[in-house]
Amino acid sequence: SAVISQKPSRDICQRGTSLTIQCQVDSQVTMMFWYRQQPGQSLTLIATANQGSEATYESGFVIDKFPISRPNLTFSTLTVSNMSPEDSSIYLCSVGENAYGYTFGSGTRLTVV
Amino acid sequence: GNSVTQMEGPVTLSEEAFLTINCTYTATGYPSLFWYVQYPGEGLQLLLKATKADDKGSNKGFEATYRKETTSFHLEKGSVQVSDSAVYFCALSDGDKIIFGKGTRLHILP
């Protein structure tokens, strides 16, 4: 299955600032996703990152707050903009592979102070 | 829309006990079903999966059978170990994206 490198692994940020999270995959994949896992909670899909076009956002998530780039089939970024303490979560990148299901990066643990 | 419901935790068992974590789903069509595990401080790992009715997924002593008639995919293990302490997520995919249950925290006592 694909190997995903996600960075940073953790960060502490000031409120009002932005953080960009990178996701690098070791093979070309069609389906790439971004999830949020709030403390003690399950995973919630933020958006599907589409190569060469705008991301598809789930209900409750907007592009202005979570802009996503996907310049090619092996790389994507998620930016958390104008952060507040409520954005403190783990953010995970995931890829879908028909043979292996879905593989997840190790996550970015974000704390907003 | 599609959804996954799994039993609330935490679940606390003694080592070598039998484990069942219930999971039911609602979906149109024929989704693929998954169990993922998240060990403390780590990312999400695929534990097992099943892609069609009556398929049994198995890994590390864990098993789950895709039951279309009861729309269930319960996770079982015959003899749990302390190292199985983790959060377990049931999930389904319709091919477009994957949807997770709320997770069940499992504590195994030595």
Side-chain angles (χ1 to χ4, degrees):
Chain A
S1 62
V3 175
I4 301 174
S5 298
Q6 189 175 332
K7 57 183 181 181
S9 59
R10 58 178 64 231
D11 208 341
I12 300 173
C13 299
Q14 297 291 322
R15 68 177 67 199
T17 63
S18 298
L19 175 71
T20 296
I21 303 167
Q22 297 181 1
C23 177
Q24 178 74 55
V25 189
D26 69 344
S27 59
Q28 293 188 338
V29 292
T30 304
M31 296 187 288
M32 189 177 281
F33 310 90
W34 287 98
Y35 285 83
R36 180 175 72 182
Q37 186 179 24
Q38 293 177 302
Q41 302 296 313
S42 185
L43 283 78
T44 301
L45 180 63
I46 297 171
T48 302
N50 301 310
Q51 194 265 330
S53 64
E54 200 169 278
T56 304
Y57 289 85
E58 297 297 304
S59 175
F61 297 95
V62 295
I63 188 171
D64 290 347
K65 177 67 177 176
F66 297 102
I68 289 170
S69 78
R70 176 110 190 255
N72 56 53
L73 292 175
T74 64
F75 186 78
S76 177
T77 66
L78 168 75
T79 299
V80 186
S81 303
N82 189 25
M83 288 184 284
S84 67
E86 292 71 34
D87 295 319
S88 298
S89 291
I90 300 172
Y91 292 85
L92 297 109
C93 169
S94 172
V95 300
E97 303 173 274
N98 289 335
Y100 300 104
Y102 294 79
T103 302
F104 288 79
S106 54
T108 297
R109 187 177 295 272
L110 171 63
T111 303
V112 183
V113 297
Chain B
N2 297 343
S3 66
V4 176
T5 303
Q6 61 181 104
M7 63 189 289
E8 300 262 343
V11 174
T12 302
L13 296 172
S14 297
E15 202 165 26
E16 299 183 2
F18 183 86
L19 169 71
T20 300
I21 301 178
N22 289 340
C23 172
T24 58
Y25 67 91
T26 301
T28 54
Y30 303 94
S32 294
L33 301 174
F34 307 86
W35 277 99
Y36 281 83
V37 59
Q38 188 173 36
Y39 297 102
E42 297 187 13
L44 214 60
Q45 301 175 25
L46 177 64
L47 181 60
L48 54 84
K49 67 172 184 158
T51 57
K52 62 183 187 297
D54 300 325
D55 264 3
K56 176 186 283 188
S58 60
N59 186 25
K60 300 182 181 180
F62 290 90
E63 292 183 340
T65 301
Y66 189 143
R67 301 282 189 206
K68 195 171 189 326
E69 63 276 13
T70 54
T71 62
S72 65
F73 193 55
H74 304 321
L75 182 68
E76 297 182 336
K77 186 173 185 182
S79 176
V80 292
Q81 306 300 312
V82 172
S83 57
D84 293 326
S85 298
V87 180
Y88 292 81
F89 294 94
C90 185
L92 73 80
S93 171
D94 56 7
D96 259 356
K97 56 192 175 187
I98 187 168
I99 298 168
F100 289 87
K102 293 188 175 182
T104 302
R105 185 173 298 277
L106 175 65
H107 293 293
I108 305 300
L109 304 174

